Amino acid sequence: MNVLLAANTVGAIAGIVFALVGGVRPAALSESGTPTGGERFYGWMYASRGVPLGVAALVAPLAWPGPAGALILCAAAAAQVGDAVIGIATRKATMIAGSSLLAAIHVATAVTTA
């Protein structure tokens, strides 16, 4: 269980970092030369979802073990599944792998701590 909590912690922090990078430097994630206004807009939209959800996924299993924490982790996992689907649509293997792995970690942590 400690290994799973550690993996969830590392994954949640990584999710927060990627969300912040998406907001501050959207071209780093989109791999475009100069970000358009739309890329900057959607980067901040991603960050406004990703940071709070990442913090919640980080804190939930420690602060609220049981059904409440599991629900938060399942919501975070659902967001990661959505990111993986976007990765499939845009053919970004790292996005598919990272989001899928983090979704699995969130679900496993939810099941273990519920």
Side-chain angles (χ1 to χ4, degrees):
M1 170 120 139
N2 288 337
V3 171
L4 193 54
L5 286 173
N8 188 72
T9 298
V10 169
I13 291 170
I16 293 166
V17 168
F18 274 98
L20 289 172
V21 169
V24 175
R25 297 200 56 223
L29 299 182
S30 69
E31 300 171 0
S32 64
T34 303
T36 65
E39 283 178 300
R40 287 189 294 277
F41 174 75
Y42 282 104
W44 281 115
M45 283 185 58
Y46 173 62
S48 70
R49 170 197 62 99
V51 172
L53 207 47
V55 170
L58 176 67
V59 173
L62 304 172
W64 308 292
L71 180 63
I72 291 168
L73 287 169
C74 286
Q80 291 298 332
V81 168
D83 289 346
V85 170
I86 293 168
I88 291 168
T90 58
R91 298 178 185 199
K92 293 187 186 281
T94 54
M95 188 174 181
I96 298 165
S99 296
S100 298
L101 177 62
L102 194 47
I105 290 170
H106 286 331
V107 169
T109 306
V111 168
T112 305
T113 60

